[in-house]
Short mmCIF file of all heavy atoms in Angstrom, two decimals:
data_model
loop_
_atom_site.label_atom_id
_atom_site.label_comp_id
_atom_site.label_asym_id
_atom_site.label_seq_id
_atom_site.Cartn_x
_atom_site.Cartn_y
_atom_site.Cartn_z
N GLY D 55 -56.83 -21.60 -17.06
CA GLY D 55 -55.42 -22.06 -17.16
C GLY D 55 -54.98 -22.11 -18.59
O GLY D 55 -53.90 -21.67 -18.98
N THR D 56 -55.80 -22.75 -19.45
CA THR D 56 -55.44 -22.92 -20.85
C THR D 56 -55.42 -21.56 -21.58
O THR D 56 -54.53 -21.23 -22.33
CB THR D 56 -56.48 -23.84 -21.53
OG1 THR D 56 -56.45 -25.10 -20.86
CG2 THR D 56 -56.06 -24.06 -23.02
N LEU D 57 -56.43 -20.69 -21.26
CA LEU D 57 -56.37 -19.33 -21.80
C LEU D 57 -55.10 -18.66 -21.34
O LEU D 57 -54.47 -17.93 -22.12
CB LEU D 57 -57.55 -18.54 -21.32
CG LEU D 57 -58.93 -18.84 -21.91
CD1 LEU D 57 -60.02 -18.02 -21.20
CD2 LEU D 57 -58.91 -18.51 -23.41
N ALA D 58 -54.69 -18.95 -20.11
CA ALA D 58 -53.49 -18.26 -19.64
C ALA D 58 -52.17 -18.71 -20.28
O ALA D 58 -51.19 -18.06 -20.26
CB ALA D 58 -53.40 -18.47 -18.12
N ILE D 59 -52.24 -19.90 -20.92
CA ILE D 59 -51.06 -20.34 -21.68
C ILE D 59 -50.84 -19.37 -22.83
O ILE D 59 -49.75 -18.83 -23.09
CB ILE D 59 -51.27 -21.79 -22.22
CG1 ILE D 59 -51.23 -22.76 -21.06
CG2 ILE D 59 -50.11 -22.12 -23.19
CD1 ILE D 59 -51.48 -24.24 -21.48
N GLY D 60 -51.94 -19.14 -23.60
CA GLY D 60 -51.82 -18.20 -24.68
C GLY D 60 -51.46 -16.79 -24.19
O GLY D 60 -50.60 -16.10 -24.77
N GLN D 61 -52.05 -16.43 -23.09
CA GLN D 61 -51.73 -15.12 -22.46
C GLN D 61 -50.26 -15.01 -22.10
O GLN D 61 -49.61 -13.99 -22.32
CB GLN D 61 -52.64 -14.92 -21.22
CG GLN D 61 -52.57 -13.58 -20.57
CD GLN D 61 -53.32 -12.54 -21.39
OE1 GLN D 61 -52.70 -11.80 -22.18
NE2 GLN D 61 -54.62 -12.44 -21.28
N THR D 62 -49.70 -16.12 -21.58
CA THR D 62 -48.28 -16.12 -21.24
C THR D 62 -47.42 -15.85 -22.44
O THR D 62 -46.53 -15.05 -22.40
CB THR D 62 -47.87 -17.52 -20.63
OG1 THR D 62 -48.75 -17.81 -19.55
CG2 THR D 62 -46.48 -17.44 -20.07
N LEU D 63 -47.73 -16.57 -23.52
CA LEU D 63 -46.93 -16.40 -24.77
C LEU D 63 -46.92 -14.86 -25.12
O LEU D 63 -45.91 -14.32 -25.43
CB LEU D 63 -47.54 -17.18 -25.89
CG LEU D 63 -47.45 -18.69 -25.78
CD1 LEU D 63 -48.14 -19.34 -26.95
CD2 LEU D 63 -46.03 -19.14 -25.70
N ILE D 64 -48.12 -14.34 -25.13
CA ILE D 64 -48.28 -12.92 -25.56
C ILE D 64 -47.59 -11.97 -24.58
O ILE D 64 -46.88 -11.05 -25.02
CB ILE D 64 -49.75 -12.60 -25.83
CG1 ILE D 64 -50.21 -13.36 -27.05
CG2 ILE D 64 -49.97 -11.11 -25.93
CD1 ILE D 64 -51.71 -13.23 -27.31
N ILE D 65 -47.75 -12.23 -23.34
CA ILE D 65 -47.11 -11.35 -22.36
C ILE D 65 -45.56 -11.47 -22.44
O ILE D 65 -44.86 -10.49 -22.23
CB ILE D 65 -47.62 -11.64 -20.92
CG1 ILE D 65 -49.07 -11.11 -20.77
CG2 ILE D 65 -46.74 -10.98 -19.84
CD1 ILE D 65 -49.71 -11.36 -19.44
N LEU D 66 -45.10 -12.65 -22.73
CA LEU D 66 -43.62 -12.85 -22.85
C LEU D 66 -43.07 -11.98 -23.98
O LEU D 66 -41.93 -11.52 -23.97
CB LEU D 66 -43.25 -14.27 -23.12
CG LEU D 66 -43.22 -15.18 -21.88
CD1 LEU D 66 -42.87 -16.60 -22.28
CD2 LEU D 66 -42.17 -14.67 -20.89
N THR D 67 -43.92 -11.65 -24.99
CA THR D 67 -43.48 -10.78 -26.10
C THR D 67 -43.71 -9.31 -25.71
O THR D 67 -43.67 -8.46 -26.57
CB THR D 67 -44.18 -11.07 -27.42
OG1 THR D 67 -45.53 -10.64 -27.27
CG2 THR D 67 -44.13 -12.52 -27.84
#
Side-chain angles (χ1 to χ4, degrees):
Chain D
T56 302
L57 286 175
I59 292 176
Q61 189 72 263
T62 307
L63 293 178
I64 289 173
I65 288 179
L66 279 178
T67 70

